[in-house]
Amino acid sequence: VNGFDTPVDLQGAAKSPNAEIAAVADAAHIREGTGAERIRLAARPAQAGGAIAGFKLDPALLARAKAINFWVRGTGDQPGQVLFCCYSAFPRDYYFAEFRVGPVWRQVRLPATVFAAEGTPSWTAINLVSFSYFGTGAVEFVVDSLRVEE
């Protein structure tokens, strides 16, 4: 879906005001290919919601998804639990699954069966995937090679 290897891969990026997305070109911070994305998500007061950084995509890409895979490595001082969300209607209809960000590269594999639903999402209408954080402080990480298993 997105290897984050070229500036084109950042087209369609969307984020909340308390989130940052930046291209990474330094090979020391890339797991595969020639690029990755650094994402920083800073908490806000609970009543204001969390932080979100996402990427718009063609709904056909996830219509037959069996699992979603990506590489992740924390780059900040704080590890954290992050949500990977798949929206069919932002902000109310989405699937979400949780993963942990830590200091070493690890491949995250999220089978479609582990996603919980909020609202009435549809896998055939997913048009935005995101990383969301509702913890305290901030979590910062690099993500690389976002792929869909069919």
Side-chain angles (χ1 to χ4, degrees):
V1 172
N2 201 330
F4 305 117
D5 291 328
T6 68
V8 172
D9 292 336
L10 260 181
Q11 289 178 353
K15 66 181 191 62
S16 61
N18 56 330
E20 299 171 15
I21 303 172
V24 174
D26 182 349
H29 298 287
I30 297 169
R31 177 64 188 190
E32 296 179 341
T34 58
E37 297 302 318
R38 182 188 64 79
I39 297 174
R40 183 176 191 280
L41 304 170
R44 296 189 294 190
Q47 67 274 18
I52 181 172
F55 304 91
K56 296 175 186 171
L57 48 82
D58 180 343
L61 292 174
L62 290 178
R64 295 185 315 273
K66 300 281 189 266
I68 296 171
N69 293 288
F70 53 90
W71 287 94
V72 67
R73 181 177 65 85
T75 56
D77 296 336
Q78 178 175 323
Q81 293 293 114
V82 176
L83 295 179
F84 183 83
C85 302
C86 300
Y87 291 89
S88 56
F90 184 84
R92 64 189 181 282
D93 298 324
Y94 60 96
Y95 296 103
F96 66 94
E98 196 171 43
F99 68 94
R100 183 142 185 88
V101 170
V104 297
W105 279 110
R106 83 182 205 31
Q107 188 171 31
V108 174
R109 182 178 185 273
L110 301 171
T113 56
V114 304
F115 283 83
E118 181 69 33
T120 55
S122 167
W123 283 108
T124 60
I126 301 299
N127 58 17
L128 175 73
V129 295
S130 74
F131 297 91
S132 299
Y133 180 65
F134 295 91
T136 58
V139 64
E140 186 175 315
F141 54 96
V142 174
V143 64
D144 199 359
S145 298
L146 179 64
R147 291 183 167 63
V148 175
E149 283 180 35
E150 293 184 350

